[in-house]
Amino acid sequence: MTEDYAGRRGHGGETHQQASGDDVRLTTQQGVVVGDDQNTLRAGERGPALLEDFHFREKIFHFDHERIPERVVHARGFGAHGYFENYAALDDLTRADPFQEAGRRTEAFVRFSTVAGNKGSFDLARDVRGFAVKMYTREGNWDLVGNNIPVFFIQDPIKFPDMVHAAKQEPDRGFPQAQTAHDNFWDFVSLTPESTHMLMWIMSDRAIPRSFRFMEGFGVHTFRLVNSEGRSTFVKFHWKPKQGIQSVVWNEAVKINGADPDFHRRDLWDAIQAGDFPEWELGMQLFDEDFADRFEFDILDPTKIIPEEQVPVRRVGRLVLDRVVDNFFAETEQVAFCTQNIIPGIDFTDDPLLQGRNFSYLDTQLKRLGSPNFTQLPVNAPKCPFATFQQDGHMATANPANRANYEPNSWSGETKGPREDPARGFVSYPETVSGPKRRLRPESFADHYSQARQFYASQTAVEQQHIIDGFVFELSKCDRVDIRVRVVAALRNVDGGLAEAVADGLGLPELPDPAVAAREPVTGLAESPALSILRNGPETFAGRKFGVLVTDGVDANALAGLRDAIRAEGAMLEIVAAKVGGVVADDGEHIAADQKIDGAPSVLYDAVAVLATDKAAAGLADLAPARDFVSDAYAHGKFIAHREAVALFAAAGLDGRLDAGVVDLAASGASAADFVAACRDVRFWSRLA
Ligand code: HDE
């Protein structure tokens, strides 16, 4: 807490910390030391409980009230602390505090999330991911509440409750959870053509990221930057992961959800705890009114992107996450993001979705956190000085200390309280607006298919196939054939081949006519390679995790060599064995295991190795999880290194199918370093083609 901040807090504003240390006595909430926390107070050993047992009543009372409403959307999330560091002064573009000088650091809190699932759902749902960033700037908190997909399902906020109802569990049965593979969702989107572009993204591998560390983030809407002269520049915000973008394949996602439903949160926690701090670069696409007028689509339409090839993304700084939370509830659960939280130098545009969000977020925080004083919780409070005339309400801990609690007032000195400051304060960009009061969708929002087509065309063949598979999988879970048909009819406006492949995958007897398009799709948009994950693969395998299955008698030198190569790459390694007690290597050394094979299927790793002996491999061949370890790794296109593991491969049905993605470390010329370098391709793609 800065001194300024502490100084501005009113009476009763001190933060009380729970006592900690190794010699702390249990107390009640009133600070009375508890004498017995094992037994309730009773009249006689076997007699009835006594109402005067204040410790028991307080304990149960508090327990009964532990839950707050989970978020209506984005309920499942995971947060971490860090900072944003600015590369160069951008004062020509904006007066926003974080961008005023090179090297300026701004504290930040980030919460990643899935959208559809409830709080206890699994991490690898096929879903959009939230990417919400709160920056505690010196001029107030700025929340950039984005997603890992740059477009949205709808154009008007009035449809948000419908869209979310349709996507979440069906109300009569309360399932399916955390997935859109059901009739209600596809019914809604197939009747809402503006969703088509977003559907392409969520059926793509973008919706099954390898982890939060390997995904992009987007502010989605067009915002404004405003400089100290009042000049405005339009901006779209991007977060570019320095780790590279990476996704899992669908069959892996399904299995990860069973093996480790917390896969993504554990990944972020482990990386930060290991000192491997994830980073993203903040990118800005900057453009003016002229470009906005020239651009093929409306820059206020949140179902459209501006291709990077048309307006380059300028990288202006980096976001580093370097600290896990101390307490999940206090920070990740109680953090309250609001799109309305902007600072001088940033402003809204008239994107209707953004305008609607500016109402919703504040409103939802009141419901969830129960008091207008949620802003006083440490994770939500600004770290710069703040002073208001607001007071009281549930749980007020920062009431102003002055006598005057109104303005204007004629008190003086400290008593008079704060005053507005036209020079430093927030001033809205004076955009001219006028028009008839109507409920109308602009004509400039009417093209629903062209960018969906552009997205599809910009993918590699493997990625296109994954999109087809995504549609076929989800629609196969819809009971109503007419819904499947309606989706295919819409896809005919996107790409003929895509529509045919999906129809074929669904076993539709014939192709439906194309859906009637509100506006004829443009078929000539240039491809945008930036939209493909595979075309923008990582340069290193740093930050990834290897699972190394070992047996008794493992060649200690080979294991050490592999470990060194993995470390040199900046990757992590977990030792997997038949028993968690570990194995004894050929040099007699004991090697502790991190995981027992049943709890560590290969889906939890980016690449795997099996270091065995001929005899031990025969033992592994009898273990179903060991067979699955290699057959799944193979099926998911992973790179596999091995020594004397042939018997296991044979038992897993891989005899005669081993390809160049399966490296025998004992073969002449093979090296652990080469194997790890090959892994930079992430997968042995030709196996999946
Ligand atoms: Fe949200 N959204 N949203 N949303 N959203 C919420 O606010 C809403 C939209 C996003 O980690 C809620 O605090 C409306 C777009 C994220 O805590 C709620 C509309 C984008 C998070 C809400 C949208 C988002 C939320 C629920 C259409 C990407 C999680 C809990 C007009 C740019 C933040 C909460 C966190 C959360 C409303 C559309 C991103 C109900 C009405 C577009 C990352 O207020």
Side-chain angles (χ1 to χ4, degrees), residues 71-74 111 113 130-132 145-147 152 157 160 219-221 335 337 353 356-357 360-361 364-365 368:
R71 290 164 175 80
V72 186
V73 282
H74 297 266
R111 184 175 179 274
S113 48
F131 193 131
V145 197
N147 278 345
F152 203 63
F160 190 65
V220 176
H221 316 284
V335 67
F337 292 96
L353 215 56
R357 294 177 75 198
S360 180
Y361 289 68
T364 209
Q365 308 313 347
R368 281 195 339 102

Side-chain angles (χ1 to χ4, degrees), residues 122-444:
F122 39 84
D123 277 350
L124 259 161
R126 176 180 286 284
D127 200 353
V128 193
R129 298 300 184 287
F131 193 131
V133 181
K134 189 182 282 291
M135 290 211 213
Y136 304 93
T137 84
R138 301 193 300 193
E139 302 220 319
N141 287 355
W142 172 31
D143 293 355
L144 185 56
V145 197
N147 278 345
N148 77 328
I149 288 178
V151 289
F152 203 63
F153 293 98
I154 48 169
Q155 296 172 325
D156 192 302
I158 205 165
K159 298 312 295 171
F160 190 65
D162 299 290
M163 187 240 121
V164 172
H165 286 176
K168 291 192 74 137
Q169 69 267 28
E170 300 193 355
D172 51 355
R173 60 210 66 187
F175 62 86
Q177 244 224 89
Q179 50 187 304
T180 51
H182 59 107
D183 291 69
N184 278 7
F185 174 75
W186 288 97
D187 190 29
F188 176 84
V189 292
S190 63
L191 295 167
T192 309
E194 72 211 47
S195 298
T196 312
H197 188 192
M198 181 71 170
L199 289 178
M200 303 305 297
W201 285 81
I202 59 166
M203 290 304 109
S204 83
D205 295 344
R206 298 271 177 167
I208 40 174
R210 155 65 174 81
S211 90
F212 303 132
R213 294 185 296 139
F214 300 108
M215 61 188 205
E216 291 185 290
F218 303 91
V220 176
H221 316 284
T222 300
F223 290 86
R224 285 178 191 278
L225 297 180
V226 185
N227 72 7
S228 50
E229 274 105 53
R231 186 169 58 83
S232 147
T233 309
F234 289 124
V235 60
K236 279 198 180 263
F237 294 109
H238 296 243
W239 294 107
K240 299 276 189 189
K242 281 220 179 155
Q243 299 73 225
I245 319 173
Q246 186 178 324
S247 289
V248 301
V249 295
W250 177 241
N251 184 265
E252 261 179 308
V254 171
K255 291 172 177 165
I256 291 171
N257 285 332
D260 184 4
D262 303 310
F263 189 63
H264 283 169
R265 49 177 64 188
R266 191 189 307 281
D267 173 272
L268 189 64
W269 177 274
D270 286 351
I272 295 176
Q273 294 293 56
D276 185 9
F277 303 139
E279 282 190 35
W280 288 260
E281 286 188 300
L282 177 64
M284 293 182 177
Q285 280 181 298
L286 300 159
F287 54 96
D288 57 15
E289 299 272 0
D290 276 353
F291 173 83
D293 293 342
R294 275 196 326 268
F295 184 52
E296 292 96 329
F297 304 98
D298 196 325
I299 60 139
L300 300 182
D301 176 354
T303 67
K304 304 295 186 296
I305 59 160
I306 300 178
E308 291 185 25
E309 292 76 9
Q310 247 166 304
V311 177
V313 177
R314 174 166 165 192
R315 299 181 187 224
V316 303
R318 64 188 188 122
L319 171 73
V320 181
L321 295 183
D322 62 355
R323 185 160 61 88
V324 297
V325 295
D326 290 328
N327 181 272
F328 180 85
F329 182 84
E331 294 153 74
T332 304
E333 195 57 14
Q334 292 198 122
V335 67
F337 292 96
C338 292
T339 54
Q340 63 169 19
N341 291 351
I342 53 171
I343 53 172
I346 316 262
D347 210 339
F348 310 119
T349 60
D350 297 334
D351 176 338
L353 215 56
L354 177 58
Q355 302 275 326
R357 294 177 75 198
N358 286 342
F359 164 72
S360 180
Y361 289 68
L362 181 62
D363 185 50
T364 209
Q365 308 313 347
L366 182 61
K367 168 72 183 170
R368 281 195 339 102
L369 298 162
S371 157
N373 293 317
F374 71 84
T375 54
Q376 296 173 17
L377 295 170
V379 72
N380 294 323
K383 296 188 194 295
C384 64
F386 63 92
T388 73
F389 285 116
Q390 293 157 16
Q391 65 176 33
D392 303 354
H394 283 296
M395 311 294 165
T397 54
N399 270 2
N402 305 314
R403 180 160 184 190
N405 56 356
Y406 56 91
E407 193 280 341
N409 67 57
S410 61
W411 296 91
S412 58
E414 285 215 344
T415 311
K416 76 183 174 76
R419 290 293 183 272
E420 68 202 3
D421 179 345
R424 275 191 57 196
F426 184 87
V427 182
S428 294
Y429 177 73
E431 183 191 358
T432 307
V433 277
S434 70
K437 205 191 283 181
R438 300 181 70 179
R439 293 177 185 273
L440 209 61
R441 201 63 70 88
E443 186 52 34
S444 54

Side-chain angles (χ1 to χ4, degrees), residues 71-119:
R71 290 164 175 80
V72 186
V73 282
H74 297 266
R76 183 169 178 81
F78 202 67
H81 298 271
Y83 59 87
F84 171 74
E85 187 177 74
N86 190 46
Y87 290 157
L90 299 177
D91 49 340
D92 54 326
L93 288 167
T94 174
R95 56 172 285 209
D97 168 63
F99 306 114
Q100 293 312 294
E101 59 184 353
R104 178 170 293 181
R105 283 193 178 187
T106 303
E107 272 187 68
F109 184 80
V110 178
R111 184 175 179 274
F112 301 107
S113 48
T114 53
V115 179
N118 294 335
K119 210 180 143 204

